[in-house]
Amino acid sequence: MLTMDTVKISGKEISQQLRGELKKEIENAICFQKRAPKLAAVLVGAFAPSKIYVAAKEKACKETGIASQLYQLPESTSQDQLHDCLESLNLDPTIDGILLQLPLPGHLDENQAILHIHPDKDVDGLHPISLGRLLSGQPGFRPCTPSGVMHMLHETGVSMKWKHAVVIGRSTIVGKPMALLLAEKGADCTVTLAHSQTQNLPELCQKADILIAALGKPEFVRGSWLKPGSVVIDVGINRLGDGKIVGDVAFDEAFGVASAITPVPGGVGPMTIAMLLKNTVDSAKKRLG
Ligand code: NAD
């Protein structure tokens, strides 16, 4: 039985709005009369989902007025060859942001490769210097998925001050930076970071005013785990055997318990791309003055 009116938070709409603002900014800002912001996308190998993600990012760039160039490297690329490619992009004054699409083929070391992206062009926010800036509260690029979630929460008018947020997942790309952003001054959440070794996860979730699920397990978080009236952000993207895409939260069970929830697809995914565009525009503004 439904007990609560649940709002579906449309990442699709919020990201469209942000992309519209970026487009206007590119059209109107004097610095962009010199040249458009430009993103270099580096794709190694032919992993099908990565090709789809890169194509979606390139399409989003085009629609927003950002130039993009794809550097497609063969599966056999060596670590040194990948580093050389990234270094040459660092030196190219017409490029504002470098996107290294992950995962890389198994023989390549992702952490080593990321070290070869200049922090001033690290629009994915994954270089240790960018992550250190986040940790120490200095300006810098923030990882796109958690910063997209923050943008979504702000735009939806979710009040965060004094709230208890539970983040499930401790990855460098989502969970850990998510916890830091929620705890930052201004957001002011009290944060619990849960992971695969956390005990009593359902009880913990019942205490969450804001629940961020980023564990990569289809519909793992049940409706009965949720605090009534909580805000649920589902970062997970899981493809089932029949091809259907679902999140980490059992959406139908959560609907009617949560006060607001993001759908999958159409929730966090589009926000991630929009934040990549925003980081690229911000980078270009700095470079062009
Ligand atoms: P990851 O595999 O690197 O990390 C998963 C985390 O979940 C780990 O820290 C692990 O400790 C935790 N975990 C695993 N099982 C758990 C359990 N039973 N209980 C509690 N915690 C558990 O994954 P990731 O890169 O952080 O991605 C997480 C999910 O988010 C995936 O589904 C991924 O596809 C999705 N994702 C979506 C976007 C987007 O734009 N929407 C972006 C990045 C990742």
Side-chain angles (χ1 to χ4, degrees):
M1 194 178 76
L2 298 187
T3 54
M4 169 136 350
D5 287 336
T6 305
V7 173
K8 208 198 264 191
I9 304 175
S10 172
K12 210 170 165 188
E13 277 172 27
I14 298 171
S15 67
Q16 283 299 346
Q17 192 185 330
L18 176 58
R19 283 165 58 167
E21 286 162 17
L22 292 172
K23 191 168 190 232
K24 268 197 205 129
E25 201 175 338
I26 293 169
E27 283 162 4
N28 295 336
I30 289 174
C31 67
F32 294 131
Q33 287 171 9
K34 294 182 198 163
R35 65 166 175 83
K38 186 169 175 186
L39 177 73
V42 179
L43 176 62
V44 188
F47 183 51
S50 292
K51 282 174 99 172
I52 294 170
Y53 284 135
V54 167
K57 288 166 187 172
E58 286 209 286
K59 182 168 175 271
C61 279
K62 200 171 174 200
E63 287 168 4
T64 313
I66 297 172
S68 73
Q69 191 159 347
L70 175 62
Y71 295 80
Q72 170 103 55
L73 306 180
E75 183 89 24
S76 58
T77 301
S78 70
Q79 191 81 37
D80 284 344
Q81 285 169 328
L82 175 57
H83 294 174
D84 288 347
C85 170
L86 295 170
E87 300 282 0
S88 72
L89 298 174
N90 287 338
L91 294 174
D92 184 336
T94 68
I95 286 172
D96 303 299
I98 301 171
L99 157 76
L100 175 60
Q101 184 63 43
L102 303 177
L104 296 176
H107 67 282
L108 295 173
D109 183 329
E110 291 179 0
N111 288 329
Q112 282 303 315
I114 288 169
L115 287 176
H116 289 264
I117 297 172
H118 194 286
D120 290 349
K121 297 191 179 187
D122 175 35
V123 285
D124 253 343
L126 297 178
H127 191 288
I129 290 184
S130 303
L131 294 170
R133 286 176 176 152
L134 165 62
L135 185 68
S136 57
Q138 296 173 50
F141 295 118
R142 307 303 191 219
C144 298
T145 301
S147 63
V149 170
M150 293 306 288
H151 187 85
M152 226 176 187
L153 290 171
H154 284 298
E155 287 299 306
T156 313
V158 173
S159 125
M160 286 179 266
K161 204 173 179 64
W162 304 321
K163 297 291 167 62
H164 179 209
V166 172
V167 178
I168 314 176
R170 58 178 163 188
S171 69
T172 305
I173 193 166
V174 188
K176 278 192 271 190
M178 187 75 253
L180 288 170
L181 288 170
L182 286 162
E184 262 188 352
K185 211 169 177 182
D188 295 325
C189 281
T190 300
V191 181
T192 302
L193 181 58
H195 47 76
S196 56
Q197 300 306 307
T198 297
Q199 302 296 294
N200 304 324
L201 189 60
E203 287 83 349
L204 204 57
C205 291
Q206 272 155 9
K207 294 187 185 128
D209 301 305
I210 299 170
L211 181 72
I212 317 279
L215 63 158
K217 298 227 154 97
E219 302 182 326
F220 190 82
V221 177
R222 314 307 309 190
S224 60
W225 296 14
L226 302 176
K227 178 174 175 176
S230 56
V231 174
V232 178
I233 306 291
D234 192 348
V235 180
I237 303 176
N238 308 287
R239 188 179 288 275
L240 301 181
D242 62 3
K244 193 180 167 204
I245 305 276
V246 297
D248 289 345
V249 180
F251 184 88
D252 291 346
E253 291 178 12
F255 210 86
V257 182
S259 61
I261 184 167
T262 57
V264 178
V268 176
M271 291 308 304
T272 300
I273 295 184
M275 297 318 283
L276 175 73
L277 303 179
K278 182 174 183 336
N279 281 348
T280 305
V281 171
D282 288 348
S283 177
K285 272 196 288 193
K286 264 199 185 157
R287 202 156 283 105
L288 296 170

